[in-house]
Structures are given as structure tokens and as C-alpha cells.
Amino acid sequence: MRRQLAAVVAGLVAVAGGVVALPGPAMAGLDEFNQAVASSAPTGTYKCTVAIAGATACFKPYGDIWYVKDTAADSASAQVAWYMSIGSASEHYTRAGTCRNSLGNGTWGACNLEYAETEWLDFAAVVWDVDGGGYVRESPMVYGVKAG
């Protein structure tokens, strides 16, 4: 649904002849921002996105900790965009946000958040260039991860 909406908006902009910088689908509607603190790589049980050029993101349900690794020597930051729903259906998000690692290439950062055990999370790794215009790229979405 999010990708379809982004495609429709992009198509309308193209038809109208305008140029607009739109964020990627994983960045739409985020309302919580968290800055990661330096961390080691995740241990124990966790779920990660597919690694993309510039970012990898993982969620550790026990402790509700996001781990984000910056994997490129560029001006962009690595972050995770997450969406929470109650129940396993992803159509109705009740909370959403990001955890950004601005610590530099080769570093892991972590954000420790709180979720109820009844909540489910969908998430994607995102490369975000704060000084260069914002959204760069994102990983495929990971769906249906149970919060701890």
C-alpha cells in the first residue's frame, strides 16, 4: 500500500512536470526520532534486515533494542525505520519512528525503546543523508517481528 501510494504520487508529479524530492516508503509517517548511542553488534536472538550499501538494522526483542550499523564512508547516516501494530496485521500502524546512527562508518549504534509484548514490528534499514537531501535508499521491509 505504501509503495503504491508513493508510485501514484511520483507518477502525478512526473505528469505535472514538477520535480519533488519524496522520501522513500519506509520513511512516510514516522513520528518518533531516536539518536543511537555507540554499541557493539547485537548478541543473542535478533532479526536483521538485508544489508544494503550503507546500512544494516537489527531488532532484539528481549530488551526492545534496535541496532543500526553504518557500513559506508560517506556523509549519510544509517537508520532503521520501524512501524508498530497491535496484532500481526501491518495495515494499521499505531506507532512509528526511527533510530539513527550518526556515529560514522563501521560503527554500531543502539536505541533502547519500550514496546508491549502484544505489539508487532515491521522495519527497514535506511540510508539518510542529513546534509545532502535526505532519503537515499532502503532495504526491503522485514514484517511481523514480535516485540519482547
Side-chain angles (χ1 to χ4, degrees):
M1 177 68 169
R2 290 180 190 277
R3 290 193 189 278
Q4 291 170 337
L5 179 58
V8 169
V9 171
L12 291 174
V13 169
V15 169
V19 177
V20 175
L22 297 173
M27 295 303 297
L30 302 177
D31 56 7
E32 292 183 32
F33 173 80
N34 297 277
Q35 187 65 46
V37 296
S39 173
S40 57
T43 60
T45 302
Y46 54 91
K47 179 75 174 176
C48 295
T49 62
V50 172
I52 58 171
T56 299
C58 303
F59 179 67
K60 185 175 182 176
Y62 183 74
D64 297 332
I65 302 172
W66 291 104
Y67 292 90
V68 183
K69 185 174 185 182
D70 187 327
T71 61
D74 55 17
S75 63
S77 295
Q79 63 187 39
V80 60
W82 57 265
Y83 300 87
M84 183 194 76
S85 61
I86 297 185
S88 58
S90 301
E91 294 108 28
H92 305 308
Y93 295 118
T94 58
R95 185 176 160 194
T98 61
C99 171
R100 180 178 296 156
N101 175 350
S102 300
L103 302 168
N105 179 39
T107 62
W108 280 97
C111 295
N112 190 348
L113 301 177
E114 294 296 323
Y115 303 109
E117 292 179 4
T118 58
E119 296 164 343
W120 293 82
L121 296 159
D122 301 337
F123 62 97
V126 178
V127 177
W128 188 265
D129 193 346
V130 176
D131 298 325
Y135 174 84
V136 177
R137 75 185 69 78
E138 67 187 70
S139 71
M141 191 75 78
V142 174
Y143 291 100
V145 177
K146 186 95 160 82

